Amino acid sequence: MATGTTTRSKTGTGTGTGTGTGTGTGQLPTGITGGVCVSGAASATGRAGSGRGRLLRGLLATLVAAAVVVPVSAAASPNVPAPAPATFSEDTAPGIRYAANAANLTEAIRTAEDADRPGRAARLRAMWASGAAQFLAFDGRGKGRAVEVFGELESADRVAVLVPGSDTTLDTYERFRAGAVSLQQRLQAEHPRSAVVAWLGYDTPGTVSTTVLSAGRADDAAAELAPFLNRLRDMAAPGAELSLLCHSYGSVVCARTGTGPAVGDMVLFGSPGTGAGSARELPTGARVWAGRGSGDWIGNVPHVRLGGIGFGTDPVDPAFGARLFAAGSAGHSDYLKPGTESLDSLAAIVLGTTPASEADHG
């Protein structure tokens, strides 16, 4: 597969326009089960339909309440114009991608200014403020997509890939980037040959929306993320080990992503559930971790699944079978903040230095 974003089947970064926008049916892929199975006669179907309505209303009520407490930092801009993204052959070196995407980003800033979209232009300028950003992919159209590298990817033998949750767009990108920078600084302090990749390679659902309650966006994203991970392995140092760090709805994406042997750890944090009944059902041979801070509102979301709505078993429930890590008092958006217990735990997983007492759990 070649890279780029005009033809998604050919992207080396998994950021195409042809996927990631479908709402899907919310059905589980083959081999994954979980939640509540609904079947039987017409009377049972009626009861299930009524229960599904109550569940949907309950989940939406929880999300609305959470959105009041933790407001979205910026609204998406679905119709923002921008130039078509750069395209690459599959074996294009990272440095060439960085240069081409830098040029595309600067052109996107001019286009936004010409279209009288000062808010988007300002956010794009912030993305390029230092002049040293490293984008494996960039698409400024609509809500936008971006895949950014922090550190020296080609010499890194430990690479963390961050997969974001709902309401992550170019208009809210700075908070996503801040987490990536924080993690990279923490990793570099202990292991200089490390890199972080911030993968905004899909159209994330809104926090207060029906799409955030089903797996449609996640299925589309997983189809982009899996081949990207294979290509990323070839861009990093020989024998590099990848860790997949999946926040909130991003954990639903990761739970549907088939990973190869290069991915040693899959970490679910702030997760609403995955749609799977247990870690063993995930399409990965990686070690599966889960953690949730005591201040995270996602713990109040019902961990049920009915008719494609909801995501079932809580990943931090011992019955799920994930290895648990200490997340301290982290709130839903705090896991990667400097100086937190959750950041220390995530860095230890990436570097393979997790205490034996945690690593042996589950």
Side-chain angles (χ1 to χ4, degrees):
M1 297 174 64
T3 67
T5 49
T6 24
T7 53
R8 300 295 174 183
S9 62
K10 301 183 70 176
T11 87
T13 56
T15 57
T17 56
T19 61
T21 57
T23 57
T25 62
Q27 299 301 309
L28 292 168
T30 301
I32 294 183
T33 60
V36 180
C37 178
V38 180
S39 62
S43 60
T45 302
R47 289 194 299 273
S50 175
R52 185 174 185 270
R54 288 194 298 271
L55 173 61
L56 179 59
R57 289 191 295 272
L59 289 172
L60 281 173
T62 301
L63 292 172
V64 169
V68 171
V69 177
V70 187
V72 176
S73 62
S77 303
N79 299 315
V80 175
T87 59
F88 308 97
S89 62
E90 189 170 333
D91 59 352
T92 302
I96 296 174
R97 296 170 190 261
Y98 299 158
N101 286 313
N104 192 276
L105 175 56
T106 56
E107 181 61 27
I109 294 172
R110 287 192 291 269
T111 303
E113 292 172 338
D114 292 344
D116 195 24
R117 305 300 290 265
R120 172 58 68 86
R123 294 181 183 102
L124 294 179
R125 281 195 296 272
M127 292 175 70
W128 191 239
S130 68
Q134 302 178 132
F135 288 97
L136 288 174
F138 174 79
D139 186 347
R141 299 173 297 180
K143 293 182 178 180
R145 299 187 184 188
V147 179
E148 187 173 5
V149 175
F150 302 87
E152 296 298 328
L153 178 60
E154 291 173 290
S155 63
D157 57 15
R158 294 279 178 168
V159 181
V161 180
L162 292 178
V163 180
S166 59
D167 282 315
T168 307
T169 69
L170 292 187
D171 293 313
T172 62
Y173 185 76
E174 281 305 303
R175 67 182 183 189
F176 181 43
R177 170 185 260 180
V181 170
S182 175
L183 177 60
Q184 174 60 5
Q185 290 174 343
R186 177 65 182 78
L187 295 174
Q188 284 277 303
E190 190 169 340
H191 187 79
R193 292 185 61 194
S194 60
V196 174
V197 177
W199 188 82
L200 177 55
Y202 77 112
D203 291 341
T204 64
T207 298
V208 184
S209 69
T210 55
T211 54
V212 81
L213 303 177
S214 69
R217 297 288 178 93
D219 288 333
D220 291 338
E224 300 277 4
L225 180 57
F228 170 75
L229 293 172
N230 291 333
R231 289 187 291 269
L232 183 65
R233 173 197 59 201
D234 295 333
M235 295 181 195
E241 184 162 321
L242 311 184
S243 296
L244 201 51
L245 274 54
C246 320
H247 178 240
S248 195
Y249 189 85
S251 65
V252 186
V253 174
C254 293
R256 282 160 166 72
T257 302
T259 65
V263 177
D265 296 279
M266 179 183 290
V267 190
L268 315 173
F269 56 105
S271 175
T274 64
S278 72
R280 291 186 300 274
E281 296 172 10
L282 303 183
T284 182
R287 294 173 290 270
V288 178
W289 300 80
R292 184 167 63 232
S294 61
D296 191 343
W297 59 262
I298 203 74
N300 297 321
V301 173
H303 289 280
V304 292
R305 182 172 177 81
L306 181 64
I309 300 298
F311 300 109
T313 308
D314 189 343
V316 300
D317 188 325
F320 187 76
R323 302 168 184 232
L324 303 183
F325 69 88
S329 60
H332 193 63
S333 301
D334 299 337
Y335 290 92
L336 295 171
K337 284 189 175 180
T340 58
E341 184 176 12
S342 52
L343 177 62
D344 287 344
S345 294
L346 291 168
I349 293 171
V350 173
L351 298 178
T353 58
T354 306
S357 58
E358 287 186 79
D360 292 342
H361 186 94

